[in-house]
Amino acid sequence: MTTENNATAIKGDMLKLAEEIIAGRRINRQDDLSIFLTCDLQELCEGADKIRAACVGDHVDLCAIINGRSGKCPENCKFCAQSAHNHTDCQPHPFLPTEEFVAAAKLHEKEGVHRFSIVTAGRSLSGEEFDAAIEAYNAMSKESNIELCASMGFLNEEQLHRLHEAGVTSYHHNIETSKRNFPNICTTHTYDMKIETLKLVKAEGMCACSGGIIGMGETWEDRLDMAVSLAELGIDSIPLNALMPIPGTPLEHLPSLSEADILRTVAFFRYINPEANIRLGAGRALLTNDGETAFRAGASATITGNMLTTVACATIRSDRSMLQGMGRDVTPPYQTTALNDMSATDAEDTEVQKQEEAEA
């Protein structure tokens, strides 16, 4: 990322820049990105929404997660309630039984959620617990139509392939922040390890889901760098979380971000990643109407329902109601397919009835 005088200039008209991006321009490290930090916020958000509409459309992707294995994580991520290095009220539990995952997947399918993910604490899932995860995904694939995702830490090529074969279409692995800032957040694994895992996900042909958390003491330049890094990786879904400080973690005393800062971040992530799903995560309580303003600033997806370790103020039904009121499409693909199949069947029945009447 460049912010010096010899950088490629980005002119101050953000609506014009939005039109250039819609026409095919892509922002990169050679561009002077400082304009995103000084431009008019309303104009920036308006431009981001135009890019969202043109490059992603009005469909909003809803995902839900279940805490498949909780607590006792050996990694020392400073933001996390589940780290064994922190002192929180997290309630640990081992990997859940298959029937709990199947029941949760069916419930979320009934509620109209698009995709469902098992998320596990720890450096990685392995051995008998990983085999149990494969069993659970096979069962969910057979007994539900919801899209399946996973978030299980550092997996190898073989493990990702097994998940893919079991029906998982998307793998989540946050880079969390910029490469420069990463050691300030975690020292038990590296930023480069995360990048290598994401490259394996892309090589497997799965949807790569990766984003991070803002409000952890990083600079604006760190946020811009994270946005560019994700674009360089070709990430398909980018979850953006605003830190909700958890008592007992090293970041517990950090102040909450302002709505304006969150919206500016969401908006420039859309400019830099025009075709990705910019997904709202934790911190929606800091936004007007649980995030409505962000959906008008470039966001095109959200985590819905109950979060892992922070309380969600929005329910699945209220999310769907809000988004439908904005004119967004929240129909899951599996419902669209079912409706199309029903329409085709009705058309065939009508044609048969016409032929029978003609013969009579």
Side-chain angles (χ1 to χ4, degrees):
M1 184 183 64
T2 309
T3 57
E4 306 199 5
N5 292 334
N6 61 354
T8 303
I10 297 179
K11 295 182 179 180
D13 187 341
M14 303 313 292
L15 295 179
K16 182 178 179 181
L17 177 60
E19 293 299 333
E20 291 176 3
I21 290 172
I22 291 168
R25 177 176 178 176
R26 293 297 177 263
I27 304 297
N28 57 52
R29 290 187 185 275
Q30 283 64 54
D31 290 312
D32 180 357
L33 306 184
S34 62
I35 186 63
F36 290 116
L37 310 182
T38 57
C39 65
D40 179 75
L41 178 59
Q42 183 175 345
E43 187 175 288
L44 178 70
C45 291
E46 184 180 346
D49 195 48
K50 288 181 180 294
I51 297 170
R52 185 273 312 158
C55 296
V56 180
D58 288 334
H59 182 266
V60 178
D61 187 273
L62 303 177
C63 72
I65 58 180
I66 185 171
N67 194 349
R69 184 181 70 182
S70 176
K72 298 183 179 180
C73 180
E75 309 304 299
N76 66 352
C77 304
K78 290 183 178 179
F79 56 83
C80 188
Q82 303 200 61
S83 171
H85 297 262
N86 301 332
H87 305 285
T88 70
D89 60 0
C90 174
Q91 299 298 313
H93 66 71
F95 197 74
L96 298 174
T98 292
E99 52 267 26
E100 288 197 35
F101 294 123
V102 172
K106 288 181 175 179
L107 173 64
H108 286 96
E109 179 181 352
K110 182 179 178 181
E111 291 293 333
V113 175
H114 303 76
R115 56 185 69 248
F116 177 67
S117 180
I118 299 175
V119 180
T120 57
R123 188 181 185 89
S124 65
L125 199 66
S126 60
E128 292 183 357
E129 288 190 312
F130 185 77
D131 291 338
I134 296 299
E135 176 185 318
Y137 279 113
N138 279 322
M140 288 188 287
S141 294
K142 291 177 181 178
E143 298 186 41
S144 69
N145 294 307
I146 199 167
E147 289 284 327
L148 298 175
C149 311
S151 181
M152 299 173 174
F154 297 100
L155 300 187
N156 59 37
E157 184 177 357
E158 179 187 356
Q159 288 175 305
L160 290 168
H161 184 64
R162 288 183 66 190
L163 283 174
H164 203 181
E165 286 188 323
V168 175
T169 58
S170 179
Y171 193 78
H172 168 262
H173 196 65
N174 274 354
I175 62 171
E176 306 300 2
T177 187
S178 71
K179 184 173 184 176
R180 183 208 68 82
N181 190 51
F182 193 87
N184 296 325
I185 302 303
C186 177
T187 59
T188 51
H189 57 263
T190 67
Y191 178 92
D192 288 339
M193 289 171 62
K194 286 182 170 288
I195 298 300
E196 289 307 309
T197 299
L198 288 167
K199 288 180 178 178
L200 291 177
V201 173
K202 296 290 288 185
E204 177 57 33
M206 301 166 79
C207 170
C209 179
S210 182
I213 305 172
I214 59 174
M216 297 192 293
E218 76 283 350
T219 65
W220 278 104
E221 287 72 23
D222 287 320
R223 295 179 198 173
L224 286 165
D225 184 82
M226 178 167 64
V228 173
S229 296
L230 294 168
E232 291 171 344
L233 288 166
I235 298 302
D236 306 286
S237 172
I238 301 176
L240 286 179
N241 303 275
L243 181 71
M244 303 294 282
I246 298 171
T249 66
L251 305 184
E252 64 179 332
H253 299 300
L254 288 181
S256 296
L257 290 175
S258 69
E259 181 165 24
D261 282 1
I262 297 171
L263 293 179
R264 183 173 294 275
T265 304
V266 169
F268 68 63
F269 263 76
R270 170 57 68 200
Y271 275 79
I272 298 170
N273 295 271
E275 297 177 339
N277 261 327
I278 306 299
R279 188 179 303 275
L280 301 184
R284 284 176 56 188
L286 302 174
L287 299 171
T288 301
N289 196 19
D290 290 322
E292 181 176 349
T293 47
F295 284 110
R296 301 189 189 279
S300 58
T302 188
I303 299 172
T304 188
N306 293 324
M307 303 296 185
L308 277 171
T309 52
T310 58
V311 177
C313 58
T315 65
I316 297 167
R317 292 177 187 177
S318 64
D319 281 348
R320 288 174 58 87
S321 176
M322 174 189 70
L323 291 163
Q324 287 172 330
M326 295 175 65
R328 304 293 171 87
D329 175 16
V330 292
T331 306
Y334 55 82
Q335 288 184 1
T336 302
T337 301
L339 289 171
N340 289 339
D341 290 344
M342 289 176 61
S343 297
T345 300
D346 289 344
E348 290 174 4
D349 291 344
T350 300
E351 186 62 30
V352 169
Q353 183 178 355
K354 288 181 179 178
Q355 290 178 359
E356 290 176 347
E357 289 174 352
E359 291 173 359

